[in-house]
Amino acid sequence: MPVTLNEGYEMTSWFDLYTLNIGGREDEAGIKKAAALVQGMVEEEEKGGIPTNRIVLGGFSQGGALALYAAFTLEKPLAGMVALSSWLPLHESFPDAMKVNNESPILQCHGDLDPVVPYKFGQMTKSVLSKMCSNYTFNTYPGMMHSSNAKEMQDVKEFLDKILPAV
């Protein structure tokens, strides 16, 4: 899709991005449409026999942002959420927009040198989520840019092992 922040060039994207400024204009319609798509995927998994309390929504960058928004506006409890180098879109609509999942475990990870999704976005999200979620963890990775590293992946693995025990 064409992304405004990228001068309208086509790129892989869940929704349009207008700015990387906290409080800047957001693509509310696009975010909600993409969230409905992800929520539809959850419903399909549930129809296939996987209970929602065994489903984790997660992603990197815009995918992690969408995972958070979709999970918080879903009306069924999830096993958890993982947001890597991400932020909470439409953050000013919370906690009012939250349906459930404020008790679901959340792991948010962010590098402190991220030039794409600035660390301050992660900190803003931490400020919002730590007030409205009872099982929230924020990990900072010193020196990490808009990427991942072995420590972060180990933290994700341990988080998933904890919230999704073998059946």
Side-chain angles (χ1 to χ4, degrees):
M1 75 180 303
V3 174
T4 302
L5 186 65
N6 195 27
E7 298 182 10
Y9 289 102
E10 295 273 336
M11 62 184 285
T12 304
S13 184
W14 286 100
F15 50 86
D16 198 2
L17 294 168
Y18 303 120
T19 181
L20 287 180
N21 294 319
I22 292 177
R25 181 174 163 225
E26 293 184 89
D27 179 14
E28 183 172 355
I31 292 165
K32 289 179 176 180
K33 181 178 177 183
L37 179 67
V38 170
Q39 291 165 347
M41 292 176 194
V42 171
E43 288 177 21
E44 288 300 313
E45 293 301 319
E46 187 178 28
K47 286 178 187 173
I50 300 172
T52 60
N53 66 358
R54 296 284 300 167
I55 296 173
V56 175
L57 291 185
F60 176 80
S61 193
Q62 191 182 56
L66 178 59
L68 290 174
Y69 186 84
F72 289 138
T73 57
L74 182 69
E75 296 190 14
K76 296 183 179 193
L78 295 171
M81 293 157 261
V82 176
L84 309 177
S85 300
S86 298
W87 72 97
L88 178 61
L90 305 176
H91 67 278
E92 292 178 356
S93 65
F94 291 95
D96 294 342
M98 184 174 286
K99 306 286 187 200
V100 294
N101 290 309
N102 62 317
E103 295 180 9
S104 298
I106 304 164
L107 175 63
Q108 182 183 358
C109 303
H110 215 110
D112 65 354
L113 295 180
D114 189 334
V116 178
V117 178
Y119 185 63
K120 66 182 179 181
F121 274 47
Q123 292 292 294
M124 174 274 299
T125 299
K126 176 184 176 183
S127 174
V128 172
L129 296 186
S130 63
K131 291 176 188 163
M132 60 183 214
C133 300
S134 60
N135 194 353
Y136 173 74
T137 302
F138 183 89
N139 291 348
T140 298
Y141 299 87
M144 190 170 80
M145 298 181 81
H146 195 64
S147 62
S148 186
N149 64 26
K151 172 67 174 130
E152 182 184 54
M153 288 296 99
Q154 182 62 37
D155 291 345
V156 171
K157 179 191 180 308
E158 290 171 7
F159 176 77
L160 293 175
D161 287 345
K162 180 179 175 185
I163 67 169
L164 290 173
V167 289

